[in-house]
Amino acid sequence: MPQGFEIAEFKARLTRAQSRMDAAGLDAILLTTEPDIRYFTGYLTRFWESPCRPWFLVLPRSGDPIAVIPSIGAALMARSWITDIRCWRAPDLEDDGISLLAETLHALGPSIGTPSGLQSHLRMPLTDFARLNAALPQPIGADFDILRSLRLVKSEAEIEKIKTACQIANRAFARVPEIASMGQPLAQVFRDFQRLCLDEGADWVPYLAGAAAPGGYGDVISPADDRPLAAGDILMLDTGLVHDGYFCDFDRNFSVGRPSADVAEGHSRLIEATYAAFEAARPGSTAAELFHVMDKIVTGGAGGSEAGRYGHGLGMNLTEWPSLIPTDHTPLVSGMVLTLEPGIELAPGRALVHEENIVIRENGAEWLSQPYGAEMLEV
């Protein structure tokens, strides 16, 4: 798929947002985070890595979005479909865009919302947010989960980008035997795997975690160390690479030499749990139901592990709403992209985790990652 989206994609998103805003009585929504702003504009840049400048997008109840951004971003924003671009010279130690933003919001009406629920955050200084509220007729409130509900369901164009990211990772994982062997330091494997991802077409690899330890591993989020791979180790690589602003997120386990019987049996149960959740993942099911389907297989229904969940949403963020936990009763609908991520404890301090990516369709689920077989591959 070509980079970016057709303008019609963004206009459709805006129309859906404005319909919900009208129903909620909101005059405008203020957006401050990279994925929320990009969702409506296509504004893709790594410059967000710099925390010294705030960026704002205002969605009015009617009309096109208004970008209120530092002047350094004006040229790139002008290449998007946004035409109302209001800038200031940033950083400004006295007024970093707040007066300009307050003027913009004040003209649209008193009822302003911003994403405020779980998995949201405000990307601006709290002192500036207080100044902004003081300059408005009434304080900024919540957006009634409008952004969350919109981003929860992906368009076909979005799904295609996630699928492409998964295909890139599939090809990189298939090449792991080229870079991982007995005696190879884990840190070098990490560096080489990122290189493989780039070779296969990733734009960048913002997330790579994993482990290598005898008979399983203690956690799944640690950075790599220089310990060399040894016989009996289980090597796990978990990647969130990006294609055109969209993530994949899945892992693969490899055995250094022949896996032990308990490792092989545990891995087989993880694959069984993943396939069971895949079969259960259809419109009308819930996130909690997928959790219980997997948990029955990996723990006998004991309620999961300390990791807390067996999967999550996926898209412009590595992890999105919902969470596959017992208390998340979010209904599954066609167009939702999820990870299935069961984990199993083999012994204290020794665990295995397996993860795949799927999309919910009208008649069931569709694999986005190439599903792993029950037999663990050896390196």
Side-chain angles (χ1 to χ4, degrees):
M1 164 170 279
Q3 285 197 323
F5 296 101
E6 299 293 332
I7 292 177
E9 174 87 9
F10 297 114
K11 287 186 176 291
R13 296 173 185 179
L14 178 63
T15 297
R16 290 193 293 270
Q18 289 174 331
S19 175
R20 288 166 170 80
M21 291 164 65
D22 191 58
L26 284 177
D27 294 309
I29 292 178
L30 171 64
L31 304 177
T32 64
T33 66
E34 188 276 339
D36 284 347
I37 291 175
R38 177 159 51 92
Y39 184 74
F40 290 100
T41 65
Y43 188 69
L44 178 60
T45 173
R46 300 298 301 278
F47 198 67
W48 287 87
E49 297 292 344
S50 170
C52 70
R53 294 176 177 87
W55 305 77
F56 309 111
L57 187 75
V58 177
L59 304 182
R61 192 191 296 200
S62 63
D64 290 344
I66 303 166
V68 183
I69 62 174
S71 55
I72 196 171
L76 180 58
M77 184 64 78
R79 290 163 54 185
S80 76
W81 75 287
I82 305 302
T83 58
D84 193 344
I85 304 170
R86 307 177 188 186
C87 298
W88 79 96
R89 187 175 177 178
D92 186 323
L93 301 184
E94 300 296 327
D95 183 359
D96 216 14
I98 298 306
S99 294
L100 183 58
L101 180 60
E103 177 185 333
T104 300
L105 293 172
H106 197 282
L108 296 175
S111 182
I112 312 297
T114 195
S116 307
L118 290 172
Q119 300 187 36
S120 71
H121 68 275
L122 186 72
R123 192 187 180 275
M124 63 184 297
L126 284 177
T127 52
D128 280 357
F129 189 60
R131 287 182 56 213
L132 176 63
N133 277 319
L136 297 175
Q138 65 187 48
I140 295 173
D143 78 332
F144 299 95
D145 289 333
I146 290 173
L147 260 292
R148 187 176 76 185
S149 67
L150 289 174
R151 290 184 52 199
L152 189 65
V153 181
K154 274 61 178 180
S155 68
E156 285 304 315
E158 290 181 287
I159 292 167
E160 189 62 31
K161 292 185 187 298
I162 300 168
K163 184 176 182 178
T164 299
C166 290
Q167 291 169 340
I168 292 167
N170 285 335
R171 295 194 297 268
F173 277 125
R175 296 177 61 187
V176 165
E178 298 177 19
I179 62 168
S181 58
M182 201 175 305
Q184 188 81 337
L186 181 61
Q188 186 62 50
V189 173
F190 269 44
R191 287 189 289 270
D192 287 342
F193 184 72
Q194 292 176 79
R195 173 178 56 78
L196 291 180
C197 292
L198 295 173
D199 284 349
E200 293 297 339
D203 294 335
W204 60 86
V205 189
Y207 184 80
L208 177 61
Y217 31 82
D219 74 90
V220 295
I221 64 170
S222 292
D225 56 29
D226 286 323
R227 176 184 173 274
L229 299 181
D233 280 352
I234 303 303
L235 166 66
M236 190 275 282
L237 296 170
D238 182 2
T239 186
L241 63 79
V242 168
H243 164 71
D244 203 12
Y246 284 78
F247 279 89
C248 70
D249 180 22
F250 61 100
D251 71 15
R252 292 293 178 258
N253 289 282
F254 302 88
S255 176
V256 183
R258 193 167 189 82
S260 64
D262 69 328
V263 166
E265 193 274 335
H267 183 260
S268 179
R269 284 167 62 191
L270 289 181
I271 303 303
E272 179 187 355
T274 305
Y275 273 82
F278 177 83
E279 292 300 324
R282 57 185 62 250
S285 299
T286 67
E289 287 171 357
L290 294 191
F291 172 90
H292 289 300
V293 165
M294 290 184 277
D295 190 55
K296 184 177 180 179
I297 295 171
V298 296
T299 74
S305 66
E306 292 301 313
R309 64 183 181 183
Y310 287 158
H312 51 79
L314 175 67
M316 291 194 297
N317 289 101
L318 180 73
T319 65
E320 296 185 354
W321 194 269
S323 289
L324 303 190
I325 57 176
T327 54
D328 191 337
H329 301 289
T330 301
L332 305 187
V333 299
S334 181
M336 289 176 60
V337 176
L338 302 172
T339 73
L340 304 176
E341 190 177 9
I344 190 167
E345 186 176 14
L346 302 177
R350 289 198 304 121
L352 297 175
V353 175
H354 178 69
E355 187 172 21
E356 301 283 3
N357 298 164
I358 65 170
V359 58
I360 307 300
R361 297 298 194 184
E362 290 293 342
N363 297 317
E366 174 188 326
W367 297 107
L368 294 178
S369 55
Q370 178 65 43
Y372 200 22
E375 189 172 331
M376 188 182 295
L377 296 178
E378 297 180 31
V379 294

